[in-house]
Amino acid sequence: MARRSKRQLKNEINVVPYIDVMLVLLIIFMITAPMINPGQIELPEIGKSSAAPSAPLEVIVKADSSLALRDRAETDLERFVTHQQLIDAIKRKQSQNAEQPVVIAADKSVRYEEVIKVMDILQRHQVQRIGLLAQPK
């Protein structure tokens, strides 16, 4: 006959240490929670209206790679400009209104390289808010 050992394995898990750890964590969170400052949200105030967005300055790249500038806020007329005149006019407008957007519109036959050159010139002169103008068919 085989002898049975007097020691047998227990199939129980002792959960008391886990309960102790959970209680310590609970106490830590209860102490630290009131010390945390909640984030503040700035809500808009009644009566303050934001300024209407200004009409963008259009830099037009013509089919022959010449540049024209149109200020829709003043007039719808295009005036042909050189690169330096373009920068001077945009800087003058953005000194009056720092949020003045600038959009580049190009003839569909213009190589994209010409548009990139204009964007590069504007970015080198720290012109802010540059975009591309696309017209749907």
Side-chain angles (χ1 to χ4, degrees):
M1 273 203 216
R3 276 190 182 177
R4 282 185 146 179
S5 69
K6 294 185 179 186
R7 292 181 120 195
Q8 291 187 357
L9 294 175
K10 287 185 177 180
N11 292 336
E12 298 174 6
I13 297 176
N14 189 2
V15 294
V16 174
Y18 299 116
I19 294 172
D20 291 343
V21 169
M22 291 300 292
L23 288 174
V24 169
L25 289 174
L26 179 66
I27 291 170
I28 290 171
F29 287 130
M30 287 174 61
I31 291 172
T32 58
M35 294 180 195
I36 297 173
N37 291 333
Q40 295 180 354
I41 300 172
E42 292 183 26
L43 298 174
E45 296 179 14
I46 297 174
K48 283 188 175 181
S49 64
S50 60
S54 57
L57 291 171
E58 277 186 46
V59 178
I60 302 161
V61 182
K62 299 287 186 179
D64 61 350
S65 298
S66 62
L67 298 177
L69 182 65
R70 178 187 296 155
D71 186 359
R72 291 204 182 262
E74 293 176 4
T75 179
D76 264 355
L77 297 176
E78 299 174 7
R79 64 181 172 111
F80 287 92
V81 291
T82 63
H83 291 286
Q84 190 57 45
Q85 290 171 336
L86 174 72
I87 296 301
D88 293 340
I90 291 175
K91 286 284 193 178
R92 188 171 47 254
K93 286 296 277 187
Q94 284 195 339
S95 67
Q96 296 169 0
N97 179 8
E99 296 297 315
Q100 177 73 47
V102 177
V103 294
I104 300 172
D107 190 83
K108 67 179 180 179
S109 63
V110 171
R111 292 176 49 121
Y112 199 67
E113 178 182 338
E114 296 298 323
V115 176
I116 296 297
K117 280 183 187 177
V118 173
M119 286 179 73
D120 186 47
I121 290 169
L122 294 175
Q123 287 178 343
R124 275 190 279 148
H125 289 88
Q126 286 83 35
V127 174
Q128 305 296 318
R129 298 190 63 188
I130 302 171
L132 294 176
L133 180 67
Q135 294 180 351
K137 288 187 174 185

